[in-house]
Amino acid sequence: MSQTELPKRPLGRSGFSITPVGLGAWAIGGAGWTFGWGEQDDRASIATIRHAVERGINWIDTAPIYGLGHSEEIVRRALAEIPADERPLVFTKAGLEWDDANPTAYPRFIASPERLEAQVEASLRRLGVDTIDLLQIHWPPRDGTEIEGYWGKLVELKQTGKVRAIGLSNHDVAALERAERIGHVDTLQPPFSALARDVARAELPWSAAHQTGVIVYSPLQSGLLTGAFSTARIAALPADDWRRESADFQQPAVERSLAFVEAIRPVAERHGTSVAAVAIAWTLAWPGVSGAIVGARAPAQVDGWIDAATLKLTPADLDEIADALRRTSAGSGPLQPSEVEVTQ
């Protein structure tokens, strides 16, 4: 494989240097579970991973719950086709379990130290690796396990070499503070996009101040910010696509979101790129953000947003985007990086 060279950023103090965009493997998990994206072609998924690596992306974000193990298995199959010295870093998660007898049931949020051990062993088998590059707790558990219990277990797994770095996904500052007292939080994975900006108030500044790397997810708001969506396309989503039931894809939110997309097209045109690349680059302009996780199910989709890895939005661009957010009332949270102060 011949790879393109992309710039890299440090992922906090983890020791990893990552490309500003990484490939998200949620959708390639396929259908048949609560948060599926409809049927997927596994061959296309593997080709997409290979193409992303060829374009220079050096990390993949997956999770056991994506397709109930299927996403991790597809990642393993893709890695087997890539020369060892060109393989991307693999980030996965723990803390959610499912019932094989009832795959469409809502997942269970379980993160006791004993269950985490079993979950990690299962991920190692599905991924076909000896060590997980980054292990993240997917969501705060609901089984009564306190953060001291599950974060302490992740610290232990790191010390024993089962994982190289550890992080938290979907956790607030109070949880981050408690975890940091036990062992350094290498990474935080929060939802963050021009439409979902709330973590810019506290979690991003905390992470920047503590040298915790941030990899944001859903920077395209599950497709709304690609520039390719319309009300007609939303109405045509497959019946088993979770987005049909999401408030983000219902009125009045969707009308505001699509109006915002149209308002920022001039920014994309000035830079000779896509709306999607602008939306992702906007998240990368915030202090503390190391990278953005972007999903794709076909190689052409990667090509549609990979410009974000090298796109530098100007202060004037950021002002224009903030003005578009005000005018359309799309989303919530701070409007641009200059509004947020990071204290060391």
Side-chain angles (χ1 to χ4, degrees):
M1 294 174 65
S2 59
Q3 290 178 292
T4 304
E5 191 70 27
L6 292 178
K8 295 180 178 65
R9 299 178 173 194
L11 183 59
R13 301 200 322 245
S14 68
F16 295 138
S17 290
I18 63 169
T19 49
V21 290
L23 184 65
W26 176 5
I28 69 174
W33 64 294
T34 309
F35 295 103
W37 295 62
E39 291 293 336
Q40 309 299 322
D41 182 335
D42 290 346
R43 290 172 299 179
S45 298
I46 292 169
T48 301
I49 293 170
R50 285 176 54 88
H51 185 67
V53 173
E54 289 169 358
R55 292 298 310 267
I57 290 172
N58 78 339
W59 57 288
I60 299 174
D61 180 85
T62 184
I65 198 66
Y66 299 160
L68 312 186
H70 190 61
S71 175
E72 288 187 326
E73 291 167 352
I74 291 299
V75 170
R76 182 196 71 233
R77 288 169 57 187
L79 293 178
E81 298 182 4
I82 300 172
D85 60 348
E86 296 179 11
R87 289 178 188 171
L89 298 166
V90 177
F91 303 164
T92 193
K93 306 176 189 75
L96 295 182
E97 297 187 358
W98 61 90
D99 182 356
D100 286 323
N102 188 12
T104 59
Y106 203 79
R108 301 185 298 269
F109 293 62
I110 297 174
S112 66
E114 299 76 21
R115 292 308 306 154
L116 284 177
E117 186 84 43
Q119 291 168 18
V120 169
E121 290 298 332
S123 284
L124 287 167
R125 288 195 300 272
R126 284 190 293 263
L127 290 167
V129 298
D130 296 324
T131 304
I132 292 169
D133 293 313
L134 169 63
L135 179 69
Q136 305 149 96
I137 294 295
H138 208 151
W139 288 88
R142 301 175 186 173
D143 61 351
T145 305
E146 296 290 339
I147 193 166
E148 288 76 12
Y150 61 84
W151 188 249
K153 183 62 178 180
L154 261 64
V155 170
E156 176 188 320
L157 288 168
K158 183 178 178 181
Q159 291 170 341
T160 59
K162 287 288 181 70
V163 303
R164 297 173 64 192
I166 52 177
L168 295 170
S169 180
N170 300 298
H171 283 62
D172 61 18
V173 165
L176 290 165
E177 289 281 8
R178 289 172 65 183
E180 187 73 10
R181 287 194 285 270
I182 300 166
H184 180 56
V185 181
D186 291 318
T187 66
L188 173 68
Q189 183 180 142
F192 187 52
S193 76
L195 301 178
R197 309 181 298 273
D198 292 336
V199 297
R201 291 191 175 98
E203 284 74 26
L204 294 189
W206 186 95
S207 298
H210 290 79
Q211 294 182 285
T212 290
V214 176
I215 50 174
V216 303
Y217 74 85
S218 293
L220 295 177
Q221 204 65 27
S222 304
L224 280 174
L225 296 178
T226 59
F229 259 90
S230 64
T231 52
R233 181 176 174 185
I234 292 168
L237 287 172
D240 56 357
D241 190 314
W242 70 273
R243 293 173 294 181
R244 291 186 67 89
E245 306 301 322
S246 170
D248 288 339
F249 287 78
Q250 311 294 326
Q251 298 294 0
V254 72
E255 181 178 358
R256 295 169 182 162
S257 298
L258 295 179
F260 169 70
V261 167
E262 294 308 311
I264 65 170
R265 282 193 190 277
V267 179
E269 290 168 0
R270 280 201 305 274
H271 287 278
T273 191
S274 65
V275 169
V278 169
I280 298 163
W282 181 90
T283 69
L284 295 168
W286 289 73
V289 175
S290 304
I293 303 164
V294 195
R297 291 177 276 178
Q301 291 178 337
V302 175
D303 295 336
W305 48 253
I306 200 164
D307 280 358
T310 52
L311 176 59
K312 303 297 183 186
L313 296 176
T314 67
D317 293 331
L318 295 172
D319 287 342
E320 186 171 342
I321 293 169
D323 182 62
L325 290 170
R326 289 189 195 93
R327 287 188 286 107
T328 60
S329 299
S332 64
L335 297 175
Q336 59 180 343
S338 60
E339 295 182 14
V340 176
E341 181 179 352
V342 177
T343 56
Q344 299 296 331

Short mmCIF file of all heavy atoms in Angstrom, two decimals, residues 216-260:
data_model
loop_
_atom_site.label_atom_id
_atom_site.label_comp_id
_atom_site.label_asym_id
_atom_site.label_seq_id
_atom_site.Cartn_x
_atom_site.Cartn_y
_atom_site.Cartn_z
N VAL A 216 -13.17 13.93 19.30
CA VAL A 216 -14.61 14.19 19.31
C VAL A 216 -15.32 13.24 18.36
O VAL A 216 -14.78 12.84 17.33
CB VAL A 216 -14.92 15.66 18.94
CG1 VAL A 216 -14.21 16.60 19.91
CG2 VAL A 216 -14.52 15.99 17.50
N TYR A 217 -16.55 12.89 18.72
CA TYR A 217 -17.33 12.05 17.81
C TYR A 217 -18.54 12.81 17.29
O TYR A 217 -18.95 13.83 17.85
CB TYR A 217 -17.72 10.73 18.46
CG TYR A 217 -18.80 10.73 19.51
CD1 TYR A 217 -20.15 10.68 19.18
CD2 TYR A 217 -18.48 10.71 20.88
CE1 TYR A 217 -21.15 10.64 20.14
CE2 TYR A 217 -19.46 10.67 21.86
CZ TYR A 217 -20.81 10.63 21.49
OH TYR A 217 -21.78 10.59 22.45
N SER A 218 -19.08 12.31 16.20
CA SER A 218 -20.22 12.92 15.49
C SER A 218 -19.96 14.37 15.10
O SER A 218 -20.84 15.23 15.26
CB SER A 218 -21.50 12.82 16.33
OG SER A 218 -21.91 11.49 16.45
N PRO A 219 -18.77 14.70 14.55
CA PRO A 219 -18.55 16.08 14.12
C PRO A 219 -19.45 16.48 12.94
O PRO A 219 -19.64 17.66 12.69
CB PRO A 219 -17.07 16.08 13.70
CG PRO A 219 -16.80 14.67 13.29
CD PRO A 219 -17.61 13.84 14.24
N LEU A 220 -20.00 15.49 12.25
CA LEU A 220 -20.95 15.75 11.15
C LEU A 220 -22.39 15.53 11.59
O LEU A 220 -23.29 15.50 10.76
CB LEU A 220 -20.62 14.87 9.94
CG LEU A 220 -19.27 15.16 9.28
CD1 LEU A 220 -19.02 14.19 8.13
CD2 LEU A 220 -19.20 16.60 8.78
N GLN A 221 -22.58 15.40 12.90
CA GLN A 221 -23.91 15.21 13.48
C GLN A 221 -24.68 14.10 12.73
O GLN A 221 -25.78 14.28 12.25
CB GLN A 221 -24.70 16.52 13.48
CG GLN A 221 -25.81 16.59 14.53
CD GLN A 221 -25.27 16.56 15.94
OE1 GLN A 221 -24.13 16.96 16.21
NE2 GLN A 221 -26.07 16.08 16.88
N SER A 222 -24.02 12.95 12.66
CA SER A 222 -24.62 11.76 12.05
C SER A 222 -25.08 11.98 10.62
O SER A 222 -26.05 11.37 10.16
CB SER A 222 -25.79 11.26 12.92
OG SER A 222 -25.37 11.01 14.23
N GLY A 223 -24.38 12.87 9.91
CA GLY A 223 -24.66 13.09 8.50
C GLY A 223 -25.31 14.41 8.18
O GLY A 223 -25.28 14.88 7.03
N LEU A 224 -25.92 15.06 9.17
CA LEU A 224 -26.63 16.31 8.92
C LEU A 224 -25.72 17.40 8.36
O LEU A 224 -26.17 18.27 7.62
CB LEU A 224 -27.30 16.82 10.20
CG LEU A 224 -28.63 16.15 10.57
CD1 LEU A 224 -29.10 16.66 11.93
CD2 LEU A 224 -29.69 16.42 9.50
N LEU A 225 -24.43 17.37 8.73
CA LEU A 225 -23.50 18.42 8.31
C LEU A 225 -22.64 18.02 7.11
O LEU A 225 -21.64 18.67 6.83
CB LEU A 225 -22.61 18.83 9.49
CG LEU A 225 -23.34 19.47 10.67
CD1 LEU A 225 -22.37 19.78 11.80
CD2 LEU A 225 -24.08 20.73 10.24
N THR A 226 -23.05 16.98 6.40
CA THR A 226 -22.28 16.58 5.22
C THR A 226 -22.56 17.48 4.02
O THR A 226 -21.77 17.52 3.07
CB THR A 226 -22.61 15.14 4.80
OG1 THR A 226 -24.02 15.05 4.52
CG2 THR A 226 -22.23 14.15 5.90
N GLY A 227 -23.68 18.18 4.05
CA GLY A 227 -24.08 18.97 2.89
C GLY A 227 -24.87 18.17 1.89
O GLY A 227 -25.28 18.69 0.85
N ALA A 228 -25.09 16.89 2.18
CA ALA A 228 -25.79 16.02 1.25
C ALA A 228 -27.20 15.67 1.70
O ALA A 228 -27.92 14.97 0.99
CB ALA A 228 -24.99 14.73 1.04
N PHE A 229 -27.61 16.15 2.89
CA PHE A 229 -28.92 15.78 3.41
C PHE A 229 -30.00 16.77 3.00
O PHE A 229 -29.74 17.96 2.77
CB PHE A 229 -28.89 15.67 4.94
CG PHE A 229 -28.80 14.26 5.42
CD1 PHE A 229 -27.57 13.66 5.63
CD2 PHE A 229 -29.93 13.50 5.65
CE1 PHE A 229 -27.47 12.34 6.06
CE2 PHE A 229 -29.86 12.19 6.08
CZ PHE A 229 -28.63 11.61 6.28
N SER A 230 -31.21 16.27 2.94
CA SER A 230 -32.40 17.07 2.68
C SER A 230 -33.56 16.41 3.42
O SER A 230 -33.43 15.28 3.90
CB SER A 230 -32.73 17.10 1.18
OG SER A 230 -33.04 15.79 0.72
N THR A 231 -34.68 17.09 3.52
CA THR A 231 -35.82 16.49 4.19
C THR A 231 -36.27 15.23 3.44
O THR A 231 -36.72 14.26 4.05
CB THR A 231 -36.97 17.49 4.30
OG1 THR A 231 -37.24 18.05 3.00
CG2 THR A 231 -36.62 18.63 5.26
N ALA A 232 -36.14 15.24 2.11
CA ALA A 232 -36.53 14.07 1.33
C ALA A 232 -35.63 12.88 1.64
O ALA A 232 -36.10 11.74 1.76
CB ALA A 232 -36.48 14.40 -0.16
N ARG A 233 -34.33 13.14 1.77
CA ARG A 233 -33.41 12.04 2.06
C ARG A 233 -33.67 11.49 3.45
O ARG A 233 -33.59 10.27 3.67
CB ARG A 233 -31.96 12.51 1.93
CG ARG A 233 -30.97 11.38 2.20
CD ARG A 233 -29.54 11.80 1.97
NE ARG A 233 -28.64 10.73 2.39
CZ ARG A 233 -27.32 10.83 2.39
NH1 ARG A 233 -26.74 11.94 1.97
NH2 ARG A 233 -26.57 9.83 2.80
N ILE A 234 -33.97 12.37 4.39
CA ILE A 234 -34.27 11.91 5.75
C ILE A 234 -35.51 11.02 5.74
O ILE A 234 -35.55 9.96 6.38
CB ILE A 234 -34.46 13.12 6.69
CG1 ILE A 234 -33.12 13.84 6.88
CG2 ILE A 234 -35.03 12.68 8.04
CD1 ILE A 234 -33.24 15.19 7.56
N ALA A 235 -36.53 11.41 4.98
CA ALA A 235 -37.75 10.62 4.90
C ALA A 235 -37.50 9.26 4.28
O ALA A 235 -38.24 8.30 4.55
CB ALA A 235 -38.80 11.38 4.10
N ALA A 236 -36.45 9.16 3.47
CA ALA A 236 -36.15 7.90 2.77
C ALA A 236 -35.17 7.01 3.52
O ALA A 236 -34.78 5.95 2.99
CB ALA A 236 -35.60 8.22 1.38
N LEU A 237 -34.76 7.38 4.74
CA LEU A 237 -33.84 6.54 5.50
C LEU A 237 -34.46 5.16 5.73
O LEU A 237 -35.67 5.04 5.91
CB LEU A 237 -33.52 7.19 6.85
CG LEU A 237 -32.60 8.41 6.85
CD1 LEU A 237 -32.56 9.05 8.23
CD2 LEU A 237 -31.19 8.05 6.38
N PRO A 238 -33.64 4.11 5.73
CA PRO A 238 -34.18 2.76 5.96
C PRO A 238 -34.90 2.68 7.31
O PRO A 238 -34.58 3.39 8.26
CB PRO A 238 -32.93 1.87 5.96
CG PRO A 238 -31.91 2.65 5.19
CD PRO A 238 -32.19 4.09 5.46
N ALA A 239 -35.87 1.79 7.36
CA ALA A 239 -36.67 1.64 8.59
C ALA A 239 -35.82 1.24 9.78
O ALA A 239 -36.17 1.54 10.93
CB ALA A 239 -37.77 0.61 8.35
N ASP A 240 -34.69 0.55 9.53
CA ASP A 240 -33.84 0.11 10.63
C ASP A 240 -32.66 1.04 10.88
O ASP A 240 -31.69 0.65 11.54
CB ASP A 240 -33.35 -1.32 10.40
CG ASP A 240 -32.62 -1.51 9.07
OD1 ASP A 240 -32.54 -0.54 8.29
OD2 ASP A 240 -32.12 -2.63 8.82
N ASP A 241 -32.72 2.25 10.36
CA ASP A 241 -31.70 3.27 10.62
C ASP A 241 -32.13 4.06 11.85
O ASP A 241 -33.20 4.68 11.87
CB ASP A 241 -31.57 4.20 9.41
CG ASP A 241 -30.37 5.13 9.49
OD1 ASP A 241 -30.16 5.73 10.56
OD2 ASP A 241 -29.66 5.28 8.48
N TRP A 242 -31.29 4.04 12.90
CA TRP A 242 -31.64 4.66 14.18
C TRP A 242 -31.97 6.15 14.06
O TRP A 242 -32.71 6.72 14.89
CB TRP A 242 -30.50 4.49 15.19
CG TRP A 242 -29.28 5.30 14.87
CD1 TRP A 242 -28.25 4.94 14.06
CD2 TRP A 242 -28.98 6.63 15.31
NE1 TRP A 242 -27.33 5.95 13.97
CE2 TRP A 242 -27.74 7.00 14.73
CE3 TRP A 242 -29.63 7.54 16.14
CZ2 TRP A 242 -27.15 8.24 14.96
CZ3 TRP A 242 -29.04 8.78 16.38
CH2 TRP A 242 -27.82 9.11 15.78
N ARG A 243 -31.45 6.82 13.02
CA ARG A 243 -31.65 8.25 12.88
C ARG A 243 -33.11 8.63 12.64
O ARG A 243 -33.50 9.78 12.91
CB ARG A 243 -30.75 8.80 11.76
CG ARG A 243 -29.27 8.72 12.08
CD ARG A 243 -28.41 9.11 10.90
NE ARG A 243 -28.52 8.15 9.80
CZ ARG A 243 -27.85 8.27 8.66
NH1 ARG A 243 -27.04 9.29 8.46
NH2 ARG A 243 -27.99 7.35 7.71
N ARG A 244 -33.91 7.68 12.16
CA ARG A 244 -35.33 7.98 11.93
C ARG A 244 -36.02 8.40 13.22
O ARG A 244 -37.00 9.17 13.20
CB ARG A 244 -36.03 6.77 11.34
CG ARG A 244 -35.62 6.44 9.92
CD ARG A 244 -36.47 5.31 9.36
NE ARG A 244 -37.86 5.73 9.19
CZ ARG A 244 -38.34 6.29 8.08
NH1 ARG A 244 -37.57 6.48 7.04
NH2 ARG A 244 -39.60 6.63 8.01
N GLU A 245 -35.53 7.89 14.36
CA GLU A 245 -36.17 8.18 15.66
C GLU A 245 -35.45 9.29 16.43
O GLU A 245 -35.89 9.67 17.52
CB GLU A 245 -36.19 6.91 16.52
CG GLU A 245 -36.84 5.71 15.84
CD GLU A 245 -38.28 5.99 15.43
OE1 GLU A 245 -38.99 6.68 16.17
OE2 GLU A 245 -38.68 5.53 14.33
N SER A 246 -34.36 9.80 15.90
CA SER A 246 -33.57 10.81 16.61
C SER A 246 -34.21 12.19 16.51
O SER A 246 -34.66 12.61 15.43
CB SER A 246 -32.16 10.87 16.03
OG SER A 246 -31.45 11.99 16.53
N ALA A 247 -34.21 12.92 17.62
CA ALA A 247 -34.77 14.28 17.64
C ALA A 247 -34.01 15.19 16.69
O ALA A 247 -34.58 16.15 16.15
CB ALA A 247 -34.73 14.84 19.05
N ASP A 248 -32.73 14.92 16.46
CA ASP A 248 -31.94 15.74 15.55
C ASP A 248 -32.49 15.70 14.12
O ASP A 248 -32.25 16.62 13.34
CB ASP A 248 -30.48 15.28 15.53
CG ASP A 248 -29.74 15.62 16.80
OD1 ASP A 248 -30.19 16.52 17.52
OD2 ASP A 248 -28.71 14.98 17.07
N PHE A 249 -33.18 14.62 13.80
CA PHE A 249 -33.70 14.44 12.44
C PHE A 249 -35.20 14.72 12.35
O PHE A 249 -35.84 14.36 11.37
CB PHE A 249 -33.37 13.02 11.95
CG PHE A 249 -31.92 12.84 11.61
CD1 PHE A 249 -30.98 12.65 12.61
CD2 PHE A 249 -31.48 12.89 10.30
CE1 PHE A 249 -29.63 12.48 12.31
CE2 PHE A 249 -30.13 12.74 9.99
CZ PHE A 249 -29.21 12.53 10.99
N GLN A 250 -35.73 15.38 13.39
CA GLN A 250 -37.14 15.77 13.41
C GLN A 250 -37.23 17.30 13.37
O GLN A 250 -36.28 18.01 13.68
CB GLN A 250 -37.83 15.26 14.68
CG GLN A 250 -37.59 13.78 14.99
CD GLN A 250 -38.22 12.86 13.97
OE1 GLN A 250 -39.28 13.16 13.42
NE2 GLN A 250 -37.57 11.74 13.70
N GLN A 251 -38.40 17.80 13.01
CA GLN A 251 -38.63 19.24 13.07
C GLN A 251 -38.86 19.65 14.52
O GLN A 251 -39.38 18.87 15.31
CB GLN A 251 -39.87 19.61 12.22
CG GLN A 251 -39.72 19.30 10.75
CD GLN A 251 -38.64 20.14 10.06
OE1 GLN A 251 -37.98 20.98 10.67
NE2 GLN A 251 -38.46 19.90 8.77
N PRO A 252 -38.47 20.88 14.92
CA PRO A 252 -37.90 21.94 14.06
C PRO A 252 -36.37 21.90 13.94
O PRO A 252 -35.79 22.67 13.21
CB PRO A 252 -38.34 23.20 14.78
CG PRO A 252 -38.28 22.82 16.23
CD PRO A 252 -38.73 21.38 16.29
N ALA A 253 -35.73 20.97 14.68
CA ALA A 253 -34.26 20.97 14.72
C ALA A 253 -33.66 20.77 13.33
O ALA A 253 -32.69 21.45 12.96
CB ALA A 253 -33.76 19.87 15.66
N VAL A 254 -34.23 19.85 12.55
CA VAL A 254 -33.62 19.53 11.26
C VAL A 254 -33.70 20.71 10.30
O VAL A 254 -32.77 20.96 9.51
CB VAL A 254 -34.26 18.26 10.65
CG1 VAL A 254 -35.68 18.53 10.16
CG2 VAL A 254 -33.40 17.72 9.53
N GLU A 255 -34.77 21.49 10.36
CA GLU A 255 -34.89 22.66 9.48
C GLU A 255 -33.79 23.67 9.79
O GLU A 255 -33.17 24.24 8.88
CB GLU A 255 -36.26 23.30 9.64
CG GLU A 255 -36.50 24.51 8.75
CD GLU A 255 -37.88 25.10 8.90
OE1 GLU A 255 -38.69 24.55 9.67
OE2 GLU A 255 -38.16 26.12 8.23
N ARG A 256 -33.53 23.90 11.06
CA ARG A 256 -32.47 24.83 11.46
C ARG A 256 -31.10 24.31 11.03
O ARG A 256 -30.25 25.08 10.57
CB ARG A 256 -32.52 25.03 12.97
CG ARG A 256 -33.78 25.72 13.48
CD ARG A 256 -33.86 25.65 14.98
NE ARG A 256 -35.08 26.26 15.48
CZ ARG A 256 -35.59 26.05 16.69
NH1 ARG A 256 -34.95 25.24 17.54
NH2 ARG A 256 -36.71 26.63 17.05
N SER A 257 -30.90 23.00 11.20
CA SER A 257 -29.61 22.42 10.85
C SER A 257 -29.34 22.54 9.36
O SER A 257 -28.22 22.89 8.93
CB SER A 257 -29.57 20.95 11.28
OG SER A 257 -29.71 20.84 12.68
N LEU A 258 -30.33 22.24 8.54
CA LEU A 258 -30.14 22.32 7.10
C LEU A 258 -29.97 23.77 6.64
O LEU A 258 -29.22 24.03 5.68
CB LEU A 258 -31.32 21.65 6.38
CG LEU A 258 -31.45 20.14 6.61
CD1 LEU A 258 -32.67 19.58 5.88
CD2 LEU A 258 -30.19 19.39 6.19
N ALA A 259 -30.61 24.70 7.33
CA ALA A 259 -30.41 26.12 7.01
C ALA A 259 -28.99 26.54 7.34
O ALA A 259 -28.36 27.32 6.60
CB ALA A 259 -31.41 26.98 7.79
N PHE A 260 -28.45 26.02 8.44
CA PHE A 260 -27.06 26.31 8.80
C PHE A 260 -26.10 25.78 7.74
O PHE A 260 -25.14 26.45 7.35
CB PHE A 260 -26.74 25.71 10.17
CG PHE A 260 -25.27 25.73 10.50
CD1 PHE A 260 -24.62 26.93 10.77
CD2 PHE A 260 -24.54 24.55 10.53
CE1 PHE A 260 -23.25 26.94 11.07
CE2 PHE A 260 -23.19 24.55 10.82
CZ PHE A 260 -22.55 25.76 11.09
#
